């Protein structure tokens, strides 16, 4: 039997790694983690954690203003203080994660890791051998390939702004584009949101998306659809944005047109591992074309949503596999998704569009929350939920637009994943009053 330095070496230290690496090391396996940047990766440092800290005052502001004077004040956001609070909260995470990993027995290496062969990784001038290697290098922002693209900024730059620009152009209608338009608008920026096509947030129920966009427009956001970006140029101390149908002037431009996988300089081609800007190709065991080399997290080319909980699930799946506790293929559960606009949109399971395409299999039920006494607690207006049932009256999908849609969908998720029957649902006695109780009364 070959003697390796480690049982598993991970390249990257985000959720695709540490959620499984720490319990794996605690089980006695020899584990190493290589990180070229901040420990924890995108989510805690430049993604979910940072974003929700910046968004919390935005949601609070909207609730305050919806109270119609019950709570006094205008809810003006001090962006510099908001950013400072965000930074103070997340700055402790890398050291905390490092301590947690080292405390569980993991050896940390700092530098860019690359593959040498099926069982060898190079980091700096050192080579490490392992029975298995996991690639968990995640995604990064993608830049438009047009003239002047160097004048634009990405999501990391936005979350590091000490002051909110007055005139802000955001290009892209995905999660980042629409969420950051919501934040910037609440912080008193004049925001123009530029969409390449006619729709934003294409993975979500479009009537609810249009409701979010209408709310943004009512708050002053300008939305331009079906626009091709021709280029960017310096102008009067700012940036001129040339579109197919207009020319815009901005103090600051956010390019939110997408993200791409970090697959360069890993040595994939030399080992015959297939990858593109969409990610690394893997089989049902998360193995690449080289059986001892796996991938985890957002760097995988997959149909499942590239979200933190997905990466966590994959990392834990690999932990069980490497620990010898399971040799089964990965079996993805229902994965809930949410866009942190105000109001939010959240969904899980069978989508409304899929149910509409198969009326013999599914029953669709939309409930309007207007008039629901509990929704008046948070001054809700125009909140809705659409539920999808199979022919056995089991919940198989749900999507909601509301100020707390993520809480509703989280409450309904077990019913969708485990196929609770009406009789089983009757045995769930939730705290009252609460969003979870309210959600279950919809079924």
């Amino acid at each position: 039997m070959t003697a390796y330095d480690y049982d598993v070496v991970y390249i990257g230290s985000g959720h695709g790694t540490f959620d499984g690496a720490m319990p794996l090391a605690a089980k006695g396996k020899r584990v190493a983690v290589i990180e070229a940047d901040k420990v924890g990766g995108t989510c805690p440092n430049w993604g979910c954690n940072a974003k929700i800290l910046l968004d919390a005052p935005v949601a609070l502001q909207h609730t305050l203003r919806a109270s119609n004077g019950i709570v006094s004040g205008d809810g003006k956001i001090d962006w510099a203080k908001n950013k400072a609070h965000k930074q103070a909260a997340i700055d402790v995470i890398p050291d905390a994660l490092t301590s947690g990993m080292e405390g569980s027995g993991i050896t940390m290496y700092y530098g860019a890791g690359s593959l040498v062969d099926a069982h060898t990784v190079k980091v700096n001038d050192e080579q490490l051998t392992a029975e298995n290697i996991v690639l968990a290098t995640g995604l990064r922002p993608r830049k438009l390939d047009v003239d002047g693209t160097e004048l634009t900024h990405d999501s990391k730059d936005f979350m590091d702004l000490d002051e909110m620009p007055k005139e802000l152009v955001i290009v892209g209608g995905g999660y980042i584009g629409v969420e950051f338009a919501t934040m910037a608008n609440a912080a008193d920026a004049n925001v123009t949101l530029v969409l390449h096509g006619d729709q934003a947030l294409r993975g979500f129920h479009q009537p609810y998306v249009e409701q979010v966009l209408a709310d943004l427009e009512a708050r002053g956001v300008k939305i331009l659809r079906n626009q091709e970006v021709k280029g960017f140029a310096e102008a009067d101390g700012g940036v001129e944005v040339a579109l197919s149908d207009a020319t815009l002037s901005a103090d600051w431009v956010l390019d939110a047109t997408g993200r791409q996988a970090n697959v360069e300089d890993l040595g994939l081609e030399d080992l015959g591992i297939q990858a593109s800007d969409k990610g690394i190709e893997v089989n049902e065991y998360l193995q690449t074309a080289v059986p001892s080399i796996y991938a985890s997290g957002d760097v995988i080319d997959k149909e499942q949503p590239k979200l933190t909980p997905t990466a966590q699930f994959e990392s834990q799946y690999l932990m069980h596999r490497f620990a010898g506790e399971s040799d089964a293929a990965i079996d993805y559960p229902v994965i809930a998704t949410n866009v942190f606009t105000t109001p939010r949109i959240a969904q899980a399971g069978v989508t409304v569009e899929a149910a509409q395409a198969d009326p013999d299999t599914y029953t669709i039920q939309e409930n309007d929350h207007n008039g629901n006494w509990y929704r008046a607690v948070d001054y809700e207006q125009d909140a809705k939920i659409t539920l999808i049932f199979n022919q056995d009256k089991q919940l198989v999908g749900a999507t909601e637009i509301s100020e707390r849609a993520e809480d509703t969908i989280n409450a309904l998720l077990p019913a969708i994943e485990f196929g609770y029957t009406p009789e089983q649902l009757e045995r769930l006695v939730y705290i009252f009053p609460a969003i979870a109780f309210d959600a279950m009364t919809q079924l």
Side-chain angles (χ1 to χ4, degrees), residues 52-120:
I52 202 64
L53 283 159
L54 292 175
D55 174 74
V58 177
L60 180 62
Q61 178 198 81
H62 287 198
T63 300
L64 184 153
R65 292 178 177 176
S67 75
N68 291 321
I70 293 175
V71 182
S72 62
D74 64 359
K76 182 177 175 61
I77 292 173
D78 185 323
W79 187 262
K81 289 183 178 179
N82 194 23
K83 186 258 183 173
H85 172 67
K86 177 268 296 185
Q87 206 60 46
I90 66 172
D91 276 347
V92 301
I93 296 176
D95 286 345
L97 285 174
T98 300
S99 296
M101 285 193 276
E102 290 179 338
S104 66
I106 294 172
T107 303
M108 300 293 297
Y109 293 87
Y110 300 97
S114 60
L115 299 170
V116 176
D117 58 39
H119 294 281
T120 308

Side-chain angles (χ1 to χ4, degrees), residues 130-430:
E131 183 177 356
N132 292 296
I133 299 166
V134 179
L135 307 174
T137 49
L139 302 171
R140 69 179 185 276
R142 180 170 53 224
K143 284 271 193 177
L144 283 168
D145 185 16
V146 297
D147 290 340
T149 191
E150 70 278 1
L151 300 173
T152 68
H153 302 271
D154 60 29
S155 55
K156 292 169 76 171
D157 299 329
F158 180 91
M159 287 187 282
D160 276 340
L161 281 169
D162 289 315
E163 295 183 8
M164 183 60 63
K166 189 61 180 173
E167 301 291 334
L168 178 63
V169 170
I170 299 176
V171 182
Y175 286 88
I176 292 171
V178 183
E179 288 175 343
F180 288 11
T182 302
M183 293 183 205
N185 168 258
D188 292 332
N190 296 320
V191 180
T192 301
L193 180 63
V194 178
L195 307 182
H196 182 261
D198 191 47
Q199 297 180 333
L201 300 169
R202 285 190 288 257
F204 289 88
H205 186 41
Q206 282 303 302
Y208 291 175
V209 172
E210 289 301 320
Q211 191 171 322
V212 167
L213 296 181
D215 181 83
L216 283 173
E217 289 181 311
R219 297 176 190 275
V221 174
K222 195 177 298 180
I223 299 175
L224 303 180
R225 305 179 191 240
N226 299 307
Q227 297 296 315
E228 181 181 351
V229 177
K230 300 294 187 179
F232 306 96
E234 293 186 68
D236 299 324
V239 181
E240 183 178 87
V241 184
L243 306 175
S244 50
D245 294 339
T247 300
L248 307 175
S249 294
D251 298 323
W252 207 85
V253 178
L254 170 62
D255 183 344
T257 52
R259 295 172 67 78
Q260 65 187 65
N262 292 315
V263 296
E264 301 84 0
D265 303 320
L266 289 175
L268 303 179
E269 301 87 350
D270 293 341
L271 297 182
I273 296 173
Q274 299 300 309
S276 68
D277 61 356
K278 293 180 180 179
I280 297 170
E281 294 183 14
V282 297
N283 64 14
E284 66 271 28
Y285 302 98
L286 304 188
Q287 290 169 304
T288 67
V290 179
S292 59
I293 301 176
Y294 294 74
S296 178
D298 289 353
V299 78
I300 297 176
D301 183 356
K302 58 192 174 189
E303 295 180 359
Q304 289 76 21
K306 295 191 175 187
L307 303 169
T308 291
T310 315
Q312 179 182 23
F313 183 82
E314 290 162 348
S315 183
Q316 291 172 334
Y317 162 79
L318 289 177
M319 176 268 293
H320 292 299
R321 182 172 177 83
F322 297 148
E325 297 168 353
S326 173
D327 60 0
I330 191 167
D331 180 16
Y332 285 100
V334 174
I335 299 171
T337 60
N338 182 77
V339 56
F340 285 96
T341 48
T342 304
R344 322 285 209 207
I345 307 175
Q347 65 185 26
V350 176
T351 65
V352 178
E353 288 70 24
Q356 288 172 335
D358 192 0
D360 292 334
T361 301
Y362 302 110
T363 300
I364 302 172
Q365 172 186 315
E366 183 174 77
N367 298 337
D368 192 326
H369 291 314
N370 288 340
N372 180 330
W373 78 270
Y374 186 66
R375 297 293 174 152
V377 172
D378 289 333
Y379 319 108
E380 281 272 14
Q381 297 177 350
D382 299 322
K384 299 181 180 72
I385 186 169
T386 301
L387 305 169
I388 314 298
F389 298 90
N390 63 18
Q391 296 305 307
D392 293 324
K393 298 182 179 180
Q394 294 166 303
L395 184 70
V396 295
T399 181
E400 176 167 294
I401 179 169
S402 75
E403 303 294 342
R404 295 171 63 186
E406 70 274 31
D407 295 328
T408 296
I409 298 304
N410 274 338
L412 295 175
L413 187 61
I416 300 171
E417 170 64 21
F418 298 115
Y420 291 163
T421 64
E423 293 75 20
Q424 289 172 316
L425 289 172
E426 287 179 1
R427 294 197 57 78
L428 299 177
V429 182
Y430 281 87

